[in-house]
Amino acid sequence: MMPGSKKPNNAQIVKRNTKLAIRVKKVLFSPDGTQFACATTEGLLVYSLEPNTLQQTTFNPMDIDESVTLDNIIGNIKKENYLTALVLSLKMNEQEVIEKVFKCIPAKSAPLIAANFPSAFFFQFLEFICTEIEKTRDVEWNLIWLKELIKYNDHVLKGCRLSAQYQQQAFSMSQLHKYQVANQNQNMKGRAVLLKMYQILQFYDGSLKRIVNENMHLMKFITARSQKVAATAVDEEEDEHLQTMDTV
Protein backbone atom coordinates (compact mmCIF):
# COMPACT_ATOMS: atom_id res chain seq x y z
CA MET A 1 0.00 0.00 0.00
CA MET A 2 1.23 3.47 -0.88
CA PRO A 3 1.17 6.23 1.77
CA GLY A 4 -2.15 8.04 1.73
CA SER A 5 -3.96 5.33 -0.19
CA LYS A 6 -7.11 3.76 1.16
CA LYS A 7 -7.69 0.07 1.36
CA PRO A 8 -10.91 -0.84 -0.44
CA ASN A 9 -13.68 -2.61 1.39
CA ASN A 10 -14.40 -6.22 0.63
CA ALA A 11 -17.67 -5.19 -1.00
CA GLN A 12 -15.92 -2.96 -3.47
CA ILE A 13 -14.50 -4.47 -6.63
CA VAL A 14 -11.36 -2.87 -7.98
CA LYS A 15 -11.25 -2.99 -11.78
CA ARG A 16 -8.01 -2.58 -13.62
CA ASN A 17 -8.25 -0.53 -16.78
CA THR A 18 -5.99 -2.18 -19.31
CA LYS A 19 -5.69 -1.50 -22.99
CA LEU A 20 -6.57 -4.32 -25.31
CA ALA A 21 -3.62 -6.10 -26.86
CA ILE A 22 -2.82 -5.51 -30.52
CA ARG A 23 -3.35 -8.56 -32.68
CA VAL A 24 -0.92 -9.20 -35.52
CA LYS A 25 -2.56 -11.10 -38.36
CA LYS A 26 0.38 -11.31 -40.74
CA VAL A 27 4.08 -10.40 -40.92
CA LEU A 28 6.11 -10.09 -44.12
CA PHE A 29 9.84 -9.40 -44.44
CA SER A 30 11.69 -7.63 -47.23
CA PRO A 31 14.10 -9.67 -49.40
CA ASP A 32 17.17 -8.05 -47.82
CA GLY A 33 15.85 -8.54 -44.29
CA THR A 34 16.13 -4.86 -43.34
CA GLN A 35 12.37 -4.18 -43.27
CA PHE A 36 9.22 -5.96 -42.23
CA ALA A 37 5.54 -5.07 -42.25
CA CYS A 38 2.80 -6.14 -39.84
CA ALA A 39 -0.92 -6.23 -40.58
CA THR A 40 -2.42 -5.49 -37.17
CA THR A 41 -5.69 -4.41 -35.65
CA GLU A 42 -4.18 -0.91 -35.40
CA GLY A 43 -3.38 -0.78 -39.11
CA LEU A 44 -0.37 -1.50 -41.31
CA LEU A 45 2.90 -1.01 -39.42
CA VAL A 46 6.23 -0.87 -41.28
CA TYR A 47 9.57 -1.20 -39.49
CA SER A 48 13.04 -0.69 -40.89
CA LEU A 49 16.64 -0.86 -39.69
CA GLU A 50 17.57 2.15 -41.84
CA PRO A 51 16.19 5.41 -40.43
CA ASN A 52 15.72 7.21 -43.78
CA THR A 53 13.99 4.35 -45.57
CA LEU A 54 10.55 4.96 -44.11
CA GLN A 55 10.70 8.65 -45.03
CA GLN A 56 11.41 7.78 -48.67
CA THR A 57 8.68 5.16 -48.99
CA THR A 58 6.22 5.61 -51.84
CA PHE A 59 3.39 3.49 -50.47
CA ASN A 60 0.88 6.01 -49.15
CA PRO A 61 -2.65 4.70 -49.78
CA MET A 62 -5.83 6.75 -49.38
CA ASP A 63 -9.09 5.25 -48.06
CA ILE A 64 -7.73 1.78 -48.69
CA ASP A 65 -9.92 -1.25 -48.01
CA GLU A 66 -10.14 -4.91 -48.99
CA SER A 67 -11.37 -4.07 -52.51
CA VAL A 68 -8.23 -2.09 -53.37
CA THR A 69 -6.17 -4.81 -55.02
CA LEU A 70 -4.38 -5.18 -58.33
CA ASP A 71 -6.67 -8.08 -59.27
CA ASN A 72 -9.76 -5.90 -58.84
CA ILE A 73 -8.17 -3.09 -60.84
CA ILE A 74 -7.25 -5.43 -63.71
CA GLY A 75 -10.69 -7.05 -63.59
CA ASN A 76 -12.47 -3.70 -63.83
CA ILE A 77 -10.30 -2.68 -66.77
CA LYS A 78 -11.18 -5.91 -68.59
CA LYS A 79 -14.86 -5.26 -67.88
CA GLU A 80 -14.39 -1.68 -69.15
CA ASN A 81 -15.32 -0.24 -65.76
CA TYR A 82 -12.71 2.44 -66.21
CA LEU A 83 -13.99 4.84 -63.55
CA THR A 84 -13.94 2.15 -60.86
CA ALA A 85 -10.46 1.02 -61.90
CA LEU A 86 -9.18 4.59 -61.87
CA VAL A 87 -10.61 5.31 -58.41
CA LEU A 88 -9.13 2.08 -57.04
CA SER A 89 -5.72 3.00 -58.45
CA LEU A 90 -5.97 6.46 -56.89
CA LYS A 91 -6.82 4.86 -53.55
CA MET A 92 -3.78 2.62 -53.86
CA ASN A 93 -1.79 5.76 -54.70
CA GLU A 94 0.91 3.94 -56.65
CA GLN A 95 2.17 6.14 -59.48
CA GLU A 96 2.92 3.24 -61.80
CA VAL A 97 -0.51 1.68 -61.30
CA ILE A 98 -2.31 4.98 -61.88
CA GLU A 99 -0.30 5.56 -65.05
CA LYS A 100 -1.10 2.09 -66.42
CA VAL A 101 -4.82 2.48 -65.74
CA PHE A 102 -4.83 6.00 -67.17
CA LYS A 103 -3.28 4.84 -70.45
CA CYS A 104 -5.79 1.98 -70.77
CA ILE A 105 -8.76 4.37 -70.85
CA PRO A 106 -9.94 5.25 -74.39
CA ALA A 107 -10.36 8.90 -75.33
CA LYS A 108 -14.10 8.53 -75.94
CA SER A 109 -14.63 7.60 -72.27
CA ALA A 110 -12.97 10.76 -70.91
CA PRO A 111 -16.14 12.95 -70.84
CA LEU A 112 -18.23 10.27 -69.10
CA ILE A 113 -15.57 9.57 -66.48
CA ALA A 114 -14.98 13.28 -65.86
CA ALA A 115 -18.72 13.90 -65.42
CA ASN A 116 -19.01 11.19 -62.75
CA PHE A 117 -15.62 11.60 -61.12
CA PRO A 118 -15.71 11.66 -57.28
CA SER A 119 -14.73 15.02 -55.86
CA ALA A 120 -12.68 13.41 -53.06
CA PHE A 121 -10.04 12.32 -55.58
CA PHE A 122 -10.38 15.25 -57.99
CA PHE A 123 -7.28 17.20 -56.97
CA GLN A 124 -5.20 14.05 -56.67
CA PHE A 125 -6.07 13.08 -60.25
CA LEU A 126 -5.56 16.66 -61.42
CA GLU A 127 -2.09 16.67 -59.89
CA PHE A 128 -1.33 13.38 -61.62
CA ILE A 129 -2.33 14.84 -65.00
CA CYS A 130 -0.12 17.88 -64.39
CA THR A 131 2.79 15.54 -63.70
CA GLU A 132 2.00 13.61 -66.88
CA ILE A 133 2.02 16.82 -68.92
CA GLU A 134 5.44 17.67 -67.52
CA LYS A 135 7.17 14.35 -68.17
CA THR A 136 5.40 12.89 -71.24
CA ARG A 137 4.93 13.97 -74.84
CA ASP A 138 1.21 13.19 -74.98
CA VAL A 139 0.30 16.82 -74.44
CA GLU A 140 -2.93 16.72 -76.45
CA TRP A 141 -4.17 13.58 -74.67
CA ASN A 142 -3.57 15.11 -71.24
CA LEU A 143 -5.11 18.43 -72.24
CA ILE A 144 -8.28 16.62 -73.33
CA TRP A 145 -8.57 15.11 -69.85
CA LEU A 146 -7.79 18.45 -68.25
CA LYS A 147 -10.50 20.19 -70.24
CA GLU A 148 -13.13 17.55 -69.44
CA LEU A 149 -12.30 17.51 -65.72
CA ILE A 150 -12.57 21.27 -65.37
CA LYS A 151 -15.70 21.35 -67.52
CA TYR A 152 -17.66 18.87 -65.40
CA ASN A 153 -16.18 19.60 -61.95
CA ASP A 154 -16.37 23.36 -61.71
CA HIS A 155 -18.27 22.99 -58.43
CA VAL A 156 -15.12 21.59 -56.82
CA LEU A 157 -13.14 24.65 -57.89
CA LYS A 158 -15.46 27.28 -56.46
CA GLY A 159 -13.70 27.45 -53.11
CA CYS A 160 -14.82 27.14 -49.51
CA ARG A 161 -18.56 26.77 -49.29
CA LEU A 162 -20.64 24.93 -46.77
CA SER A 163 -22.57 22.08 -48.29
CA ALA A 164 -26.35 22.01 -48.25
CA GLN A 165 -26.25 19.35 -45.55
CA TYR A 166 -24.40 21.69 -43.19
CA GLN A 167 -26.60 24.62 -44.10
CA GLN A 168 -29.89 22.83 -43.48
CA GLN A 169 -28.98 20.95 -40.30
CA ALA A 170 -27.89 22.25 -36.93
CA PHE A 171 -24.44 21.12 -35.85
CA SER A 172 -22.33 21.89 -32.85
CA MET A 173 -19.54 24.43 -33.11
CA SER A 174 -16.88 21.71 -32.79
CA GLN A 175 -18.34 19.73 -35.69
CA LEU A 176 -18.64 22.84 -37.80
CA HIS A 177 -15.06 23.82 -36.98
CA LYS A 178 -13.78 20.37 -37.98
CA TYR A 179 -15.64 20.58 -41.26
CA GLN A 180 -14.29 24.06 -41.97
CA VAL A 181 -10.71 22.97 -41.20
CA ALA A 182 -11.02 19.94 -43.50
CA ASN A 183 -12.59 22.06 -46.21
CA GLN A 184 -9.85 24.67 -45.85
CA ASN A 185 -7.11 22.06 -46.16
CA GLN A 186 -8.77 20.62 -49.25
CA ASN A 187 -9.01 24.02 -50.88
CA MET A 188 -5.41 24.89 -50.03
CA LYS A 189 -4.33 21.72 -51.79
CA GLY A 190 -6.63 22.56 -54.68
CA ARG A 191 -5.16 26.04 -55.08
CA ALA A 192 -1.65 24.59 -55.08
CA VAL A 193 -2.59 22.09 -57.80
CA LEU A 194 -4.30 24.78 -59.88
CA LEU A 195 -1.26 27.04 -59.56
CA LYS A 196 0.96 24.20 -60.74
CA MET A 197 -1.40 23.54 -63.64
CA TYR A 198 -1.37 27.23 -64.61
CA GLN A 199 2.43 27.35 -64.58
CA ILE A 200 2.67 24.23 -66.75
CA LEU A 201 0.14 25.52 -69.27
CA GLN A 202 1.85 28.90 -69.35
CA PHE A 203 5.18 27.20 -70.06
CA TYR A 204 3.71 25.14 -72.89
CA ASP A 205 1.91 28.18 -74.27
CA GLY A 206 5.17 30.12 -74.45
CA SER A 207 7.06 27.14 -75.88
CA LEU A 208 4.46 26.48 -78.56
CA LYS A 209 4.33 30.16 -79.52
CA ARG A 210 8.10 30.22 -79.90
CA ILE A 211 8.08 27.07 -82.04
CA VAL A 212 5.22 28.39 -84.19
CA ASN A 213 7.02 31.70 -84.76
CA GLU A 214 10.23 29.91 -85.70
CA ASN A 215 8.36 27.65 -88.11
CA MET A 216 6.57 30.62 -89.68
CA HIS A 217 9.85 32.45 -90.27
CA LEU A 218 11.39 29.28 -91.68
CA MET A 219 8.45 28.71 -94.02
CA LYS A 220 8.58 32.32 -95.21
CA PHE A 221 12.31 31.96 -95.89
CA ILE A 222 11.82 28.68 -97.78
CA THR A 223 8.95 30.15 -99.82
CA ALA A 224 10.91 33.28 -100.69
CA ARG A 225 13.97 31.22 -101.54
CA SER A 226 12.02 28.86 -103.78
CA GLN A 227 10.38 31.80 -105.57
CA LYS A 228 13.77 33.40 -106.12
CA VAL A 229 15.23 30.16 -107.48
CA ALA A 230 12.24 29.72 -109.77
CA ALA A 231 12.57 33.30 -111.05
CA THR A 232 16.31 32.80 -111.66
CA ALA A 233 15.61 29.60 -113.57
CA VAL A 234 13.07 31.40 -115.78
CA ASP A 235 15.52 34.21 -116.49
CA GLU A 236 18.26 31.75 -117.43
CA GLU A 237 15.88 29.87 -119.70
CA GLU A 238 14.89 33.10 -121.45
CA ASP A 239 18.55 34.07 -121.89
CA GLU A 240 19.35 30.69 -123.43
CA HIS A 241 16.37 31.03 -125.75
CA LEU A 242 17.51 34.49 -126.88
CA GLN A 243 21.05 33.24 -127.48
CA THR A 244 19.70 30.40 -129.57
CA MET A 245 17.61 32.81 -131.64
CA ASP A 246 20.64 35.07 -132.21
CA THR A 247 22.73 32.13 -133.36
CA VAL A 248 20.09 31.08 -135.86
Side-chain angles (χ1 to χ4, degrees), residues 107 110-112 114-115 122 143-153:
L112 181 62
F122 175 75
L143 289 179
I144 290 173
W145 273 97
L146 200 60
K147 183 190 73 173
E148 298 297 338
L149 284 172
I150 295 176
K151 177 181 177 181
Y152 290 103
N153 295 274

Side-chain angles (χ1 to χ4, degrees), residues 219-235:
M219 291 178 64
K220 288 180 180 179
F221 172 77
I222 294 174
T223 303
R225 182 65 179 173
S226 61
Q227 291 176 354
K228 184 177 180 180
V229 170
T232 304
V234 171
D235 293 340

